[in-house]
């Protein structure tokens, strides 16, 4: 809980782009769009939504690919090797 408070404070001091990156990854691009759109027109909203989606996809695919590779090498592969050797 303390970590998230510190992360929020650090993000707020850094500016709008850091808020955009952090909120897009942790909460979601639609929330980042609503929070950050200064102008209430579709071009501004679309920009934040599209870039937030790209940021979110890159973050989560990279994270889960790494976790999947770690899990495969650490747990699944040794079981398969012991079963079929």
């Amino acid at each position: 809980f303390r970590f998230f408070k510190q992360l929020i404070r650090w993000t707020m001091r850094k500016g709008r782009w850091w808020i955009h990156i952090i909120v897009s990854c942790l909460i979601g691009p639609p929330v980042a769009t609503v929070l950050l759109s200064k102008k209430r027109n579709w071009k501004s909203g679309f920009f934040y939504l599209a870039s937030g989606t790209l940021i979110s996809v890159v973050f989560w695919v990279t994270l889960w690919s790494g976790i999947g590779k770690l899990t495969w090498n650490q747990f699944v592969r040794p079981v398969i090797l012991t079963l079929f050797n």
Side-chain angles (χ1 to χ4, degrees), residues 7-78:
L7 179 66
I8 290 169
R9 286 183 189 143
W10 179 81
T11 305
M12 295 302 249
R13 284 189 303 243
K14 292 297 180 183
R16 294 178 65 84
W17 279 105
W18 282 104
I19 294 171
H20 182 56
I21 291 169
I22 300 293
V23 170
S24 292
C25 290
L26 297 180
I27 299 173
V31 175
T33 302
V34 170
L35 290 175
L36 296 173
S37 290
K38 285 183 184 178
K39 304 170 193 167
R40 297 291 178 208
N41 61 13
W42 70 272
K43 288 181 183 177
S44 175
F46 181 75
F47 170 75
Y48 281 113
L49 187 61
S51 61
T53 303
L54 183 64
I55 291 168
S56 181
V57 165
V58 167
F59 174 78
W60 287 109
V61 166
T62 304
L63 179 74
W64 286 111
S65 296
I67 290 173
K69 185 168 174 56
L70 176 72
T71 304
W72 178 265
N73 289 338
Q74 195 170 14
F75 299 110
V76 178
R77 189 167 181 259

